[in-house]
Amino acid sequence: MTWSAEGARDGGSRRPHVCLIAMHFPPSRASGVFRPLAMANHLVAAGWDVTVITATRAFFEDVTGSTDDALLDQVDTRIRVRRVPVPADHLVTDVRRMSWQRAHLPKPVGAWQRARRRFAFPDRYERWIPGVVACAAEFNRTHPIDVVVATGNPWSAFEAGRRIATSGARLVLDYRDSWTLDQFRERDAFSPGDRAWAAERRLVDAADLLVFVNEPMRAWHARRYPDASRRMTVVENGYDPALLGDIPFRTPEPGPLRLGSIGTVTEHWPHETWLGWDEARTAPELAGAQLRLYGHLGFSPAAGATIAAMLPGADRGVVWAGPVQKSGVGALYRSFDVLVMMIPSSRYVTAGKTYEYMATGKPIVAIHGPESAAALPMAGYPLLYGGTDLDPRAVAESFRAAARRARTVTAQDHARAQDHARSYRRDRLLAPFEARLRELLR
């Protein structure tokens, strides 16, 4: 079975058909939505028929608790989107929203669920798998699937993709996160003998291509599964120019500088470095300055109170301003004089905001250790301060240096910084990925 450069098979005119399994897709506002959105848009623009299988709106509203309808406008109208309900009663913590059986018979239901987990695919969303497979089987009869791209987490998407691909399609597994690697603690996520290891091994063996968001993560999996290393590649996250918009050069206004951070605030941030911010605020360069944080507190509503308690508060010049719709991100970036990026100091974590921050062309205070995977794309960014030491005194000096530089940045400096970022545009990063998918069909 071969395809021409235009996607015609065996001399015919049919475009290659990719089925993208992504639980998080617009209107979801989860941080993982932007990678599959960019993939789908890029592939349909490159000549593929694209069908996305995702969750229903009810799941985003009732379980994950975040939606952004503005993101629906970013989905290319040529993309077919199929929404499969996610059985989620076992995930509901509010007794008022539980099923009658779970609310009134918690012990028998709990015992049945524990027994079921001993045999089911080892992922909390495994009940989604049959619906996804059935959905794909339905349209595969009239519109054959050539490539299945499953993005995780959740890892049930991988297993659904494996089952769908048994019909003859190629299978691509996109590790947006890691499953058996604890990215933050840099160690195995499961004990030896856990069922997750065998499940991942089965998936890795079945995959025609395994994709990772950074080289350290790819290398870890290559060491774990050396026989699959040649089928592994890296597609970094990058940034979406259409979502970010134009960020022109401007000089700071008179008065206190505007410092900002955009992105999910997590418990994995190096919160101990807030002492460095306290010290920096005493410097003339940061007199009266506030640091405004925009984003969700954690990855679930339950985490909010715990994370809020880790933040300094307005009396120390830090204001949590809440989440912002993606359509408003560009305006926020334009309003900031200095960007502050706090992320875990892990070899395996590259925050998506790393690329957006660089695309603004503004001074960045990087608060993470030198081992962080974010240090790789940021190497050479001309307006970077920090990222080498988490000692509060070093963090304070990074804030002061970025503040001083914000007052002296020129249009040429701004242009050079944005030039560095352009190689990380999502369309440029996805072009080799799209070519690799076509190679699978030769």
Side-chain angles (χ1 to χ4, degrees):
M1 184 182 298
T2 59
W3 290 82
S4 71
E6 290 74 32
R9 180 167 63 180
D10 299 333
S13 58
R14 190 168 74 81
R15 289 153 57 102
H17 183 199
V18 60
C19 172
L20 176 60
I21 305 172
M23 178 177 279
H24 299 290
F25 201 76
S28 169
R29 181 57 184 86
S31 58
V33 74
F34 302 106
R35 184 175 175 91
L37 171 61
M39 281 185 173
N41 283 339
H42 184 88
L43 291 173
V44 79
W48 292 72
D49 284 343
V50 179
T51 302
V52 175
I53 300 180
T54 185
T56 59
R57 172 183 284 272
F59 174 74
F60 305 136
E61 292 178 342
D62 298 338
V63 179
T64 64
S66 63
T67 59
D68 184 350
D69 283 347
L71 289 175
L72 290 168
D73 296 334
Q74 300 297 324
V75 181
D76 192 298
T77 57
R78 294 169 290 180
I79 296 170
R80 301 173 182 87
V81 179
R82 301 290 190 97
R83 300 194 180 275
V84 175
V86 181
D89 183 57
H90 63 297
L91 303 173
V92 175
T93 57
D94 185 344
V95 69
R96 295 168 298 181
R97 293 172 43 236
M98 292 179 183
S99 65
W100 186 93
Q101 292 88 343
R102 185 161 173 243
H104 291 82
L105 302 170
K107 289 185 177 180
V109 170
W112 177 83
Q113 290 176 344
R114 287 190 295 273
R116 187 179 184 279
R117 283 198 294 268
R118 291 203 299 268
F119 304 98
F121 182 78
D123 180 62
R124 65 195 304 226
Y125 295 108
E126 52 84 19
R127 298 183 193 182
W128 193 50
I129 296 172
V132 172
V133 174
C135 176
E138 179 183 345
F139 63 76
N140 186 55
R141 286 193 290 269
T142 57
H143 194 185
I145 300 168
D146 301 294
V147 178
V148 179
V149 177
T151 184
N153 64 55
W155 313 110
S156 293
F158 281 15
E159 176 62 11
R162 185 190 69 82
R163 297 183 191 182
I164 294 167
T166 59
S167 65
R170 299 295 190 181
L171 175 62
V172 178
L173 302 181
D174 176 48
Y175 280 81
R176 191 182 70 252
D177 289 313
S178 61
W179 184 10
T180 55
L181 164 67
D182 184 329
Q183 296 166 269
F184 300 106
R185 296 179 177 85
E186 300 190 359
R187 66 190 187 194
D188 291 351
F190 301 96
S191 59
D194 191 284
R195 294 173 57 243
W197 295 110
E200 184 172 60
R201 163 55 75 180
R202 183 169 59 249
L203 290 165
V204 168
D205 288 346
D208 296 285
L209 184 65
L210 298 129
V211 183
F212 301 90
V213 294
N214 58 52
E215 173 55 28
M217 194 186 295
R218 187 210 64 81
W220 185 92
H221 287 82
R223 290 191 296 271
R224 173 69 67 174
Y225 305 108
D227 52 326
S229 61
R230 294 193 177 189
R231 291 181 278 121
M232 296 178 178
T233 191
V234 172
V235 178
E236 293 187 63
N237 274 322
Y239 71 96
D240 302 292
L243 290 172
L244 186 62
D246 183 41
I247 310 292
F249 169 74
R250 70 165 181 80
T251 56
E253 297 177 1
L257 290 172
R258 299 173 179 175
L259 288 80
S261 170
I262 300 178
T264 303
V265 183
T266 79
E267 68 274 23
H268 301 293
W269 277 20
H271 289 280
E272 68 278 8
T273 61
W274 287 120
L275 294 175
W277 164 250
D278 291 337
E279 180 181 333
R281 289 180 65 224
T282 65
E285 302 96 317
L286 288 161
Q290 271 192 342
L291 170 54
R292 298 183 66 83
L293 310 178
Y294 292 85
H296 291 279
L297 295 180
F299 299 111
S300 68
T306 300
I307 296 171
M310 298 178 179
L311 301 178
D315 59 323
R316 292 167 61 190
V318 177
V319 175
W320 176 62
V324 59
Q325 287 194 333
K326 197 64 176 180
S327 57
V329 163
L332 274 180
Y333 278 128
R334 287 190 288 273
S335 73
F336 296 146
D337 302 311
V338 175
L339 296 172
V340 179
M341 187 174 74
M342 294 182 73
I343 60 173
S345 296
S346 167
R347 290 174 291 171
Y348 305 108
V349 175
T350 308
K353 61 185 176 184
T354 301
Y355 307 95
E356 277 191 355
Y357 277 29
M358 293 191 297
T360 69
K362 294 177 181 286
I364 299 172
V365 178
I367 304 177
H368 57 73
E371 67 276 19
S372 170
L376 298 175
M378 297 191 80
Y381 184 76
L383 299 176
L384 178 66
Y385 300 90
T388 59
D389 193 341
L390 291 178
D391 180 84
R393 289 170 296 182
V395 171
E397 178 51 35
S398 296
F399 273 112
R400 289 191 293 263
R404 289 192 295 268
R405 192 70 175 95
R407 298 290 188 186
T408 62
V409 168
T410 66
Q412 291 74 25
D413 297 328
H414 178 263
R416 281 194 294 272
Q418 289 188 320
D419 284 343
H420 174 88
R422 283 194 182 92
S423 60
Y424 296 102
R425 287 172 48 132
R426 282 208 200 256
D427 53 348
R428 296 184 178 181
L429 296 173
L430 286 170
F433 171 70
E434 190 272 335
R436 190 77 178 265
L437 295 190
R438 289 190 181 271
E439 290 176 4
L440 295 178
L441 298 177
R442 290 177 182 167

